[in-house]
Amino acid sequence: MSDNRVYSYTATLMGSPILLKLFSNNKALASRVFRLIKQYENLLTVNRAPSQVMDINHAAGKHAVSVSRPVYELIRVAKAASMLENSAFNLAIGPLVKRWKIGFQGDSVPPADEIAALLAITDPAEVVLDDAASSVFLTQSGMEIDLGAIAKGYIADRVRDYLRKEGETLGLINLGGNIQTLGAPEGGWSLGIKTPFGGADELIGTLNVENKSVVTSGTYERFFEHDGKRYHHILNPRTGYPLDNELDSVTIISTNSIDGDIWTTLIYGMGVVKGCAALRARPDIEAVFVTKSKEVVVSSMQHFRFTLLDNRYRLTG
Ligand code: ADP
Ligand code: MG
Ligand code: MG
């Protein structure tokens, strides 16, 4: 039974607060959705054993590991994104992520020689895939896959598909930064984008979408400071240090949340000008950039509306 009231359900999964909005009072469905998220988290996590991804990592330098089809497919997509020319995305970045521990207890700036040594075991070409066996082999010992930049997007898409399969026509899932929507209530979904380094409820503006995913990645989300310098959690796969550019955040509007995840990271590597140029070839994927110099740049606005709320920022694009 669907009415026009919104029912919100919350949980904490994947270390994040999760919000599910339905237009029917259906606690049982919400429970099934949360269970689905948990199942995928258990397959994909690298923070807690056992998971299929950890099995792959433990076998690095030794042997290939066969994994379930969804895990294999996600790794295949992540590898393809990693192999793009000059890609800032790298699924094999795990050893560096583990060493930096950015945003976790014990984060510190590693010595340069350690970074160099770890960079040597982050080549995505050394992630060897076998379609027929659905297996993954990391050729060098110490290599580690990290799907942290892409898992939430993948799972958000699975939740959208599940709700659709269950006959829902309207719904929203927010996996702590990855929002995926099914349909839209009258007037569309109005989604806030946070002001970088602002208070919890401070919004730079709102996006209005339907049937779209909205993914924001920001350097303000997870970082630590050392000697007056800020180190955030998106690493440059070529230097081993956090990506440093003019961006405070980027939001991607796309049909699939997995594209939002891939493109937030790719765009962090490109910056505004190259990012806009790259998106010209992808009319299905659009971006809202927020720069350190307080500009909001929109790559195009075919599939959403943006309303600026924070008058300290200028809207261009
Ligand atoms: P959030 O944690 O806010 O969702 P992202 O989606 O941008 O942020 O993902 C950041 C995570 O991705 C990091 O915590 C790390 O696990 C992983 N990561 C860091 N740098 C890269 C990179 N260059 N390519 C792929 N994954 C990365
Ligand atoms: Mg993310
Ligand atoms: Mg991401």
Side-chain angles (χ1 to χ4, degrees):
M1 272 303 283
S2 185
D3 53 43
N4 53 16
R5 273 187 57 189
V6 184
Y7 297 84
S8 294
Y9 302 89
T10 58
T12 301
L13 293 165
M14 300 187 288
S16 304
I18 310 289
L19 170 67
L20 172 68
K21 288 188 183 183
L22 298 174
F23 282 72
S24 50
N25 186 358
N26 194 339
K27 197 152 185 258
L29 177 59
S31 299
R32 292 202 300 278
V33 167
F34 292 144
R35 203 174 317 133
L36 184 74
I37 295 170
K38 185 84 210 154
Q39 279 164 2
Y40 280 116
E41 179 187 12
N42 288 343
L43 289 175
L44 300 172
T45 184
V46 289
N47 294 317
R48 179 168 40 69
S51 80
Q52 293 195 349
V53 176
M54 287 186 77
D55 291 345
I56 295 169
N57 291 347
H58 285 146
K62 291 184 250 172
H63 55 85
V65 173
S66 285
V67 291
S68 61
R69 210 62 209 178
V71 175
Y72 183 80
E73 281 306 316
L74 183 56
I75 290 172
R76 202 178 53 74
V77 169
K79 180 178 174 181
S82 309
M83 298 300 284
L84 296 171
E85 204 181 337
N86 285 321
S87 179
F89 191 97
N90 183 353
L91 86 161
I93 199 102
L96 283 161
V97 172
K98 287 271 165 65
R99 178 60 187 81
W100 278 90
K101 292 204 185 89
I102 295 171
F104 294 95
Q105 189 89 36
D107 44 15
S108 65
V109 183
D113 58 338
E114 259 187 65
I115 290 194
L118 293 173
L119 268 177
I121 50 168
T122 60
D123 184 354
E126 299 299 321
V127 178
V128 177
L129 303 181
D130 182 334
D131 281 356
S134 209
S135 73
V136 183
F137 177 39
L138 309 181
T139 66
Q140 297 163 288
S141 100
M143 282 183 76
E144 285 185 51
I145 289 178
D146 178 343
L147 300 174
I150 200 175
K152 283 181 184 171
Y154 175 79
I155 297 170
D157 291 339
R158 298 295 73 77
V159 170
R160 184 248 349 246
D161 294 348
Y162 181 73
L163 291 176
R164 193 175 276 153
K165 196 186 94 200
E166 291 288 298
E168 298 293 310
T169 53
L170 291 174
L172 175 148
I173 184 80
N174 185 349
L175 299 179
N178 279 73
I179 297 175
Q180 179 58 287
T181 65
L182 177 63
E186 223 177 289
W189 296 102
S190 178
L191 309 173
I193 302 184
K194 282 190 195 142
T195 300
F197 304 101
D201 300 326
E202 227 176 301
L203 298 181
I204 193 167
T206 55
L207 280 176
N208 196 279
V209 298
E210 50 187 272
N211 259 323
K212 291 284 167 198
S213 153
V214 175
V215 179
T216 299
S217 214
T219 47
Y220 59 88
E221 285 170 27
R222 240 187 306 139
F223 63 88
F224 71 100
E225 278 166 334
H226 178 75
D227 285 347
K229 199 172 155 24
R230 187 178 287 141
Y231 297 90
H232 67 80
H233 68 310
I234 305 170
L235 299 175
N236 181 337
R238 266 163 291 282
T239 65
Y241 288 84
L243 272 161
D244 199 14
N245 58 25
E246 76 274 31
L247 291 172
D248 267 347
S249 77
V250 64
T251 297
I252 299 287
I253 300 92
S254 55
T255 297
N256 291 316
S257 206
I258 194 163
D259 290 323
D261 260 350
I262 290 170
W263 279 87
T264 46
T265 306
L266 292 180
I267 293 270
Y268 250 101
M270 296 176 191
V272 176
V273 173
K274 283 188 186 159
C276 280
L279 288 176
R280 253 170 249 135
R282 291 298 303 261
D284 55 324
I285 296 175
E286 300 180 287
V288 178
F289 306 83
V290 180
T291 71
K292 288 174 181 156
S293 57
K294 301 225 168 342
E295 269 186 299
V296 179
V297 184
V298 177
S299 69
S300 61
M301 235 196 283
Q302 295 298 308
H303 302 107
F304 66 96
R305 289 200 312 275
F306 177 75
T307 309
L308 186 69
L309 296 175
D310 189 329
N311 59 21
R312 292 168 299 181
Y313 285 80
R314 279 187 324 280
L315 183 61
T316 59

